[in-house]
Amino acid sequence: QLQLQESGPGLVIPSQTVTVTCSVSGGSIRTNGRYWSWIRQSPGKGLEWIGYIGPSGSPDYSPSLRSRTSISRDTSVNQFSLQLRSVTPEDTAVYYCARGSASWYYDYWGQGTQVTVSS
């Protein structure tokens, strides 16, 4: 059974960089045809796709967040990470990692980790 688990700092000061990591067990992040994704949900808002890292290790990002986002992976420990730079209170959200397909179907999700941006 595939499992995903996010970990992050919880509280971040505005203008800093936040890194959130997803640890995957029960399957490899190098699996063909799978896109390891980051999605967030801010208070009172819907889900927002942030980006993914594909089976070849190439990332893609939401245009609205592209300038501040990096997604990388460490296949030796089966993890992938999200780095969001220059955060503001508007980046406060629950951050989820998920496994997606080329048809944008997400079949496995982590439980989510709260990131709060506040001074």
Side-chain angles (χ1 to χ4, degrees), residues 4-78:
L4 290 77
Q5 179 66 57
E6 305 90 345
S7 58
L11 181 65
V12 187
I13 296 172
S15 81
Q16 291 193 339
T17 295
V18 62
T19 299
V20 188
T21 297
C22 185
S23 299
V24 180
S25 60
S28 173
I29 62 173
R30 292 179 293 181
T31 302
N32 286 338
R34 298 307 184 196
Y35 296 81
W36 302 91
S37 305
W38 287 102
I39 296 160
R40 71 182 183 180
Q41 186 167 28
S42 302
K45 297 184 179 179
L47 295 171
E48 179 183 17
W49 178 73
I50 300 171
Y52 67 66
I53 189 160
S56 65
S58 297
D60 194 15
Y61 306 110
S62 166
S64 64
L65 295 170
R66 183 185 305 274
S67 64
R68 300 193 291 126
T69 305
S70 297
I71 297 175
S72 60
R73 69 179 186 178
D74 186 342
T75 58
S76 69
V77 291
N78 220 34

Side-chain angles (χ1 to χ4, degrees), residues 6 8-11 20 41 43 91-95 112-117:
E6 305 90 345
L11 181 65
V20 188
Q41 186 167 28
D91 294 310
T92 294
V94 178
Y95 286 74
T113 186
Q114 175 71 45
V115 174
T116 300
V117 182

